[in-house]
Amino acid sequence: MENRQNTGLKKRKLLRTVREQEPAIKEMCQALKEMESKVKNLRDDNNRLRGELLDKDRQLAVTRTLLVDRERQLTKTQTLLADREQQLEARTLLVDTKEFETEILRLKHLLAEKNDTNNYAALVSPETITEVIQKQTPVSPARTPVSNRTNTVQSSVNAIVHHGSFQDEAREASC
């Protein structure tokens, strides 16, 4: 019986200890549940942040790929632009060369005309022109008075001589 008494006493002591410890145990259980909830929230946050990080990594990879593609396009565009500029410079040089050649030919032609006009003016003096005109005049001396004939011939000579010099001045001014 003593054994039973001891056992009963032990049970009572144990129950008393459990009752005394019960509020502390409940607090610990409550704290444990709260900690478990916090750990779960932290795990969820951690998982969410990992997902966001993976998304950001994917976006970064896509952006880098796009950047590389854009850089390639930029390089191609710059190469094409340089080629076009070279072609344009070549065309401009060609056009300029053609314009210069055309201008040189025009100036040579004007110079040749000027030389021809000067040679013609040197070969044909007012006296020789008067003689030529008098020989080629179809009007008979009987119908036209002599003074009138001389005035006509003189005005023709002046017109021919002045006409050549005005053309030369106009050509020189345009050059």
Side-chain angles (χ1 to χ4, degrees):
M1 237 198 203
E2 265 187 52
N3 234 353
R4 276 190 197 175
Q5 283 182 342
N6 276 341
T7 314
L9 186 62
K10 285 181 181 179
K11 280 184 183 179
R12 279 185 252 150
K13 279 186 178 179
L14 186 60
L15 280 175
R16 199 177 326 140
T17 308
V18 169
R19 284 186 198 143
E20 289 173 1
Q21 300 276 328
E22 191 174 342
I25 292 174
K26 283 185 180 181
E27 282 181 29
M28 280 196 243
C29 284
Q30 185 65 27
L32 189 59
K33 286 181 182 179
E34 288 177 9
M35 285 174 49
E36 185 181 355
S37 175
K38 287 180 182 179
V39 167
K40 185 180 182 224
N41 288 339
L42 289 174
R43 282 184 185 152
D44 291 345
D45 287 346
N46 192 20
N47 289 336
R48 181 183 51 82
L49 290 173
R50 281 185 185 175
E52 287 179 14
L53 183 61
L54 288 174
D55 286 343
K56 297 294 181 186
D57 283 343
R58 285 185 206 119
Q59 288 176 358
L60 181 62
V62 168
T63 304
R64 284 183 179 160
T65 304
L66 288 174
L67 182 63
V68 168
D69 289 344
R70 295 292 162 98
E71 286 176 349
R72 287 180 188 155
Q73 288 177 352
L74 178 62
T75 304
K76 287 179 183 178
T77 304
Q78 287 174 338
T79 304
L80 287 174
L81 180 62
D83 291 345
R84 296 291 165 111
E85 286 176 349
Q86 287 177 352
Q87 290 174 357
L88 182 60
E89 288 175 9
R91 287 181 187 163
T92 303
L93 183 62
L94 182 63
V95 168
D96 288 346
T97 305
K98 286 182 181 180
E99 288 177 2
F100 286 136
E101 289 173 355
T102 305
E103 185 65 16
I104 289 170
L105 288 175
R106 186 181 73 78
L107 291 173
K108 283 182 179 178
H109 180 70
L110 287 175
L111 183 62
E113 283 182 5
K114 181 178 180 182
N115 287 339
D116 289 346
T117 305
N118 287 343
N119 291 340
Y120 176 74
L123 293 175
V124 182
S125 64
E127 294 81 27
T128 55
I129 292 174
T130 305
E131 291 173 13
V132 169
I133 290 177
Q134 286 176 350
K135 288 179 184 176
Q136 293 179 354
T137 305
V139 179
S140 66
R143 290 193 203 163
T144 310
V146 175
S147 64
N148 198 9
R149 254 187 283 149
T150 326
N151 288 343
T152 306
V153 170
Q154 197 63 0
S155 64
S156 298
V157 168
N158 289 339
I160 290 172
V161 170
H162 289 299
H163 177 68
S165 65
F166 283 125
Q167 279 185 337
D168 292 343
E169 288 177 11
R171 285 187 187 128
E172 288 174 3
S174 69
C175 289

